[in-house]
Every structure is written in structure tokens, then in C-alpha cells.
Amino acid sequence: MFNRTSLQAAAALASISLLSGCSVFSDGESAAEQRIVVGTTSSPTTLDPAAAWDNSWELFRNVFQTLVSFPTGSTSPQSDAADCQFKQGSSSRVFECQVHDGLTFSNGHKLDAEAVKYSIERIRTIDHKGGPNGMLGSLDKVEVVDPRTVVFRLNRPDATFPFILATPAMSIVDPAEYPADKIREDGKLIGSGPYVLDSYTEGEKAELTRNPSYKGFADRKNGGVTIRYFKESEAMVSALKKKDIDATYRGLTAAEVVELQNDKPENQGLQLVESTGADIRYLVFNTKDDDSVAKLPVRKAIAQLVDREELVNKVYQGTAEPLYSMVPKGIAGHTTKFYDRFGQPDKAKAKAILRSAGITKPVKLDFWYTTDRYGSSTAPEFAELKRQLEESELFEVTLHGKPWKEFQAGYQKGQYPVFGRGWFPDFPDPDNFIAPFVGKENVLGTPYVSPRITDELLPKSRRESDRAAVTDEFTEAQEIMVQDVRLLPLWQGKLYIAASEDIAGGERALDPQTVMQMWELSRRTSW
């Protein structure tokens, strides 16, 4: 049978499935000894945490440790390689961690406070373009008090700092294996996490086996994981149906999700676990070097024309929902500011905006997108955006698609006037949907200077350890972003894990950063 379930119902499904009682293992074989094969269309861009602020984290989470992390079921950082807390009376400016005793990297080298300091400081020293150094803006210095005690002194109050340390970007690396001032590029990886990377073929697969020296919270329910990287989701789904892989994550198109729900013979023996995602898609307007979108009326006219409802219905078929703010549903501080300001798509209003600025001819635009990062629906999505804008007769749009590495290099150099990006949250806090995109240096490679946000609202919100009490600051920040229209939110996704019915743990596999915890997946011991 085909099962489609939400995370809330998945546990019940697993219990029911066990009642059939047919063993799927040979005598003496346990679930914990079985390998799992997971397919994805999102391959790492690097094997070095100091260079990655992207979906490379998927691999890092499973082979490295961080000081704190998000164990299954948690929404706030918990102990991983250390026990950490803000020191009393420090006003969220001194964060102290006690590294757990006896930790080692998979090569036997000691993981101590010096290794922690080295790992964080090399991120700052290397300052890789598009890397995670931008997350450490509040960090002043790292101090080692003794072999197990490391202290982070911040240059300003920052209640989000524990969340930052919980990201795979802050993975702890072995100083003997990773250069202090440059990215490691030998195709190897050494960590202290649940798994060891036995082998890696770029764009093809990663072979993970249990780390025998691992000491951490992860309860590994399998003997190892093979991650296969696909260029197209069609090939990935075909591999699932042929049982060449056991599960998929990232990259399913809307059409594929809908097709997998059909009660067809080829879908027998599959399940689909669905959850509300915090991942978003949006357009970025580079106002620095382009004459067209440098004009605010042009950006406003585009915002007035884009029909999100039609976009998600035609392209994503119910697997996404319209988004009218950079802060998505499910995150504190979410608003619908773009809808409040622009309302329903309206050609007449868009025309009036342009005419009031003296723009009477169709505006020529170049839209750029990545062909292999966010799934095969990206090209149809941009074709629909082009159709909507050109139907108004106010714009002429030329589309350009590039593979992720080329695309990333281009937008970081400021080469694209308009481009599409996706954002998977670093951590579940509204700060993470505002701060990364503003300032002279941001993750987009496109300066967005907004002193009210960067110098006042964000600092004020970071003094508050109760993250539910910062709604006013983020509401105002979202209003400013609507006024500027430097970013145009499009839609918020739902997350799907498609798997064979004999695979358990899909409902527990995603952490609040939407990173897959491979150790949660297993084969059911009976069916």
C-alpha cells in the first residue's frame, strides 16, 4: 500500500505496520546493523565547515559534532559536545561551555577546548566568501580557561548565539587535519560525530559508517548510510521505486509528490511523510549595478504583479503555500506585510506605479536561477513568473539558469540584477530570516543597507532571552523590508520524505534546521 502521513501520525503508522509480523531480516540480523540508502538532489558544495553556509550542512550534521545541537524533539539548543550556558549577570555577553570528558575525533585525536577555539577562529580567519563567518558578527573573542572550558565573549548582547553554535557551520574540526588559514580541499573529512565518512565522490555519493569512538546524544538506529546525489529528481524517484534507494530527501518536485500519492501499482510499498517546512523561496533585487531594479518603482511594480496563489497552485500543486513575509508561518513574528501593502495582483496599479515614475516602455529584466539546487520545479517556477510579468505588458523578462556552483559564484560577485534564492533556516528564530539578508556583507553578496534594522531592531531583540517577546522588533523590520522591496518572498514549502514502507524514523529525522538526522532511519524488524 501507499501511505501518506503527517509527522503527527507517522508514529502511529509505524506501530500499526509492525502488527503484520513478517520479518524482513535474516536470522541474527538487527535493524541497527542495516545500511540505509538516502537519495537527494542537494549535494555538498564543500567538505569544509568553514566554507559552507548551505545544504552541505546535511552531511556535516552526521559526521561532526557541535557544542550544542537540536536532539530529536527539541526546539532550543541542547548539549552535544559540551554543556553550555550564559554566565549569570553577563547580559547575554559571556557564553561558557564545558566540553565533555573523553571526546575524540574519529582518528583518535583529542577533542578539547583548544580544538573548539581553533575551529571557530579558523572560520573567522579564512572568512570564506559565502561561508559562515557572517554568523559570528557578535563574537569578540574565544578564550580557553582549561582543557575542558571554553568561553565566548561577545561584543554585544546576543541571545541567539547558542542557536548559532548549534548550526553545522560551527562543527568542531581536528586542528591537526584542517589548516588554520585556508580551506581543506583534499576531499577528506575528519569529525567526531555519529558517522565516519568512508568515501566521497563529488556529485555521486557519500558512504557513512558508524563512528566507533562517538560519544553523543544520537541513538544510531542503523549500521551506516549511503547518500546518493542525483542531478534530477526524476532519476531519484525512479531509484526509489526500483528499491535502489530506501528514502529521498530534498528535491522532490510538486508533480512528483502528487504522483506518489496516487494509488498506482508502481507506488505500492511506498510512504510519504509530510511536515510544515520553514524553508522559503524569494527573489533578490541587486540595486547596485542594474539600471532597472535599482529604481524602487520597478521593484514595487513587480511586487504588485506577482500572483503567489497562482504560482503555487500551477507549479507546486499544494506542496507549498504563498508567503507574504520573509519570516514564514510557524516562526514567532510572522506577518503578511506584503499582502497588507500590495493586496491582490493588479495590473492597473502596477502600471500606475511605473507611470508615476516616468517609466512608459516595457522594462527589460534578466532573471537568474539555479538549475540543480532546489529541485526540478525551479525552472517551471521562473517560467511562470516570466509569464505573469509579461502578461501585464509592463515587463520583458529573459530567463537564465545555471548549475549551483556557477550560479553561486555569479550572485556573490553581484553579476545578477534579479535572482532566485531559497533559505533553509539555520535555526528556528525570526532573527534568522532577517539578519542574514541585511547589511553591507550578507549571504546574498548584494549589500542591503538598513541602519534601522541592523543598528537598532536586531540589537534590541538580541538582548531578550525570551524569544517570544521580540515580536514588535521583527514586525517593524518586516515593514521596512516591504517598503524597500529588496527581497520579494514567494512561497513557503512543505517537507516530504518519501521512503519504502519498511523504513522507519522518517517522522523523527528532521531537526528544527530541516537537516536530516540520518541516525533516526532504520529498517523495521517486522512487517
Side-chain angles (χ1 to χ4, degrees):
M1 62 177 292
F2 173 82
N3 290 310
R4 180 173 186 262
T5 183
S6 65
L7 293 185
Q8 292 78 8
L13 168 66
S15 299
I16 293 170
S17 299
L18 294 177
L19 297 178
S20 58
C22 177
S23 175
V24 297
F25 299 143
S26 59
D27 291 342
E29 201 172 38
S30 70
E33 296 171 325
Q34 291 288 304
R35 289 191 67 83
I36 305 295
V37 183
V38 177
T40 179
T41 61
S42 183
S43 62
T45 58
T46 176
L47 296 186
D48 191 328
W53 197 345
D54 57 26
N55 288 340
S56 302
W57 288 9
E58 209 80 59
L59 182 61
F60 298 165
R61 172 58 74 214
N62 291 279
V63 294
F64 289 107
Q65 282 183 288
T66 46
L67 290 170
V68 289
S69 188
F70 291 98
T72 302
S74 68
T75 56
S76 59
Q78 307 293 321
S79 174
D80 188 353
D83 294 318
C84 304
Q85 62 181 355
F86 279 110
K87 296 197 73 171
Q88 289 188 345
S90 70
S91 301
S92 299
R93 292 186 63 165
V94 181
F95 195 67
E96 182 175 285
C97 294
Q98 292 287 323
V99 178
H100 293 162
D101 191 26
L103 294 184
T104 63
F105 295 100
S106 59
N107 59 7
H109 296 173
K110 182 182 294 186
L111 192 166
D112 56 13
E114 288 289 353
V116 173
K117 178 180 179 181
Y118 183 91
S119 300
I120 302 301
E121 289 190 338
R122 74 183 292 266
I123 293 174
R124 306 177 78 189
T125 299
I126 295 171
D127 192 20
H128 186 77
K129 185 72 171 179
N133 188 37
M135 302 175 70
L136 295 171
S138 64
L139 179 60
D140 181 19
K141 59 183 176 178
V142 187
E143 299 174 347
V144 172
V145 178
D146 58 50
R148 290 183 53 200
T149 307
V150 60
V151 174
F152 300 89
R153 297 191 182 276
L154 309 183
N155 53 39
R156 57 183 181 269
D158 186 0
T160 71
F161 190 71
F163 290 84
I164 293 167
L165 289 181
T167 67
M170 304 300 144
S171 295
I172 305 168
V173 302
D174 181 359
E177 295 278 353
Y178 289 82
D181 57 358
K182 63 181 179 179
I183 298 300
R184 181 177 184 174
E185 297 180 335
D186 62 358
K188 297 180 181 180
L189 184 159
I190 298 293
S192 61
Y195 298 99
V196 173
L197 179 65
D198 278 344
S199 65
Y200 176 75
T201 304
E202 185 175 357
E204 294 185 20
K205 68 178 180 178
E207 295 283 1
L208 309 181
T209 57
R210 281 184 173 226
N211 179 3
S213 63
Y214 171 67
K215 294 181 180 180
F217 67 86
D219 179 13
R220 293 164 294 186
K221 297 179 173 65
N222 55 62
V225 179
T226 298
I227 306 175
R228 286 187 54 189
Y229 301 111
F230 293 84
K231 288 185 170 57
E232 298 291 338
S233 59
E234 182 179 0
M236 181 174 68
V237 173
S238 176
L240 177 67
K241 292 180 177 180
K242 293 177 182 177
K243 299 190 181 301
D244 292 335
I245 62 175
D246 299 306
T248 72
Y249 180 56
R250 295 206 194 280
L252 290 176
T253 67
E256 286 162 347
V257 170
V258 172
E259 192 276 333
L260 282 169
Q261 297 174 45
N262 293 332
D263 190 17
K264 297 179 178 180
E266 61 266 31
N267 290 338
Q268 298 301 305
L270 300 180
Q271 60 174 313
L272 194 68
V273 178
E274 174 191 310
S275 66
T276 299
D279 61 308
I280 65 173
R281 298 292 187 276
Y282 56 96
L283 291 179
V284 182
F285 298 109
N286 181 0
T287 62
K288 186 176 180 181
D289 300 315
D290 185 78
D291 292 336
S292 58
V293 295
K295 300 173 182 176
L296 179 58
V298 171
R299 305 196 300 273
K300 285 185 173 180
I302 294 171
Q304 185 65 70
L305 287 172
V306 170
D307 190 332
R308 296 168 177 82
E309 290 279 357
E310 191 167 15
L311 176 67
V312 299
N313 288 336
K314 288 181 65 174
V315 179
Y316 292 98
Q317 302 177 54
T319 63
E321 56 186 317
L323 181 65
Y324 297 96
S325 163
M326 291 298 288
V327 179
K329 288 182 180 179
I331 301 294
H334 165 73
T335 70
T336 57
K337 290 294 184 180
F338 270 92
Y339 186 86
D340 299 341
R341 174 62 63 90
F342 294 101
Q344 293 291 335
D346 192 310
K347 175 182 174 180
K349 290 182 179 179
K351 184 176 182 179
I353 291 171
L354 293 175
R355 296 298 183 265
S356 66
I359 300 172
T360 58
K361 295 181 179 180
V363 179
K364 294 183 178 181
L365 299 172
D366 287 280
F367 275 30
W368 296 77
Y369 64 92
T370 176
T371 57
D372 59 353
R373 194 61 176 173
Y374 307 124
S376 303
S377 295
T378 307
E381 173 183 342
F382 273 76
E384 172 61 16
L385 289 171
K386 171 182 169 72
R387 186 198 65 78
Q388 290 183 11
L389 294 179
E390 290 189 339
E391 189 176 62
S392 71
E393 299 181 344
L394 300 173
F395 293 95
E396 294 178 3
V397 180
T398 302
L399 300 180
H400 307 270
K402 282 186 174 292
W404 172 254
K405 284 195 172 182
E406 294 180 47
F407 175 79
Q408 185 181 43
Y411 77 70
Q412 288 175 350
K413 294 176 183 177
Q415 294 177 349
Y416 309 148
V418 185
F419 59 97
R421 281 295 313 271
W423 184 251
F424 297 90
D426 302 328
F427 49 85
D429 188 275
D431 186 285
N432 194 234
F433 292 90
I434 302 292
F437 310 114
V438 294
K440 292 181 180 179
E441 299 289 336
N442 60 51
V443 298
L444 303 171
T446 302
Y448 176 13
V449 179
S450 177
R452 174 62 177 162
I453 295 178
T454 57
D455 301 344
E456 299 179 49
L457 296 176
L458 289 176
K460 182 180 179 182
S461 74
R462 289 170 177 170
R463 298 188 191 100
E464 179 57 67
S465 58
D466 180 3
R467 303 308 293 159
V470 294
T471 300
D472 289 347
E473 289 81 6
F474 287 106
T475 297
E476 183 179 345
Q478 290 169 85
E479 177 61 37
I480 292 171
M481 296 177 103
V482 172
Q483 294 170 6
D484 295 341
V485 200
R486 290 292 309 278
L487 305 166
L488 186 65
L490 297 173
W491 55 268
Q492 173 179 353
K494 298 177 183 178
L495 297 177
Y496 295 91
I497 296 176
S500 298
E501 277 189 334
D502 67 336
I503 298 299
E507 72 282 359
R508 300 185 302 273
L510 303 183
D511 72 5
Q513 299 160 312
T514 70
V515 171
M516 181 174 274
Q517 303 173 136
M518 300 293 181
W519 58 83
E520 292 288 357
L521 300 177
S522 66
R523 295 192 194 281
R524 296 192 172 101
T525 55
S526 58
W527 186 249

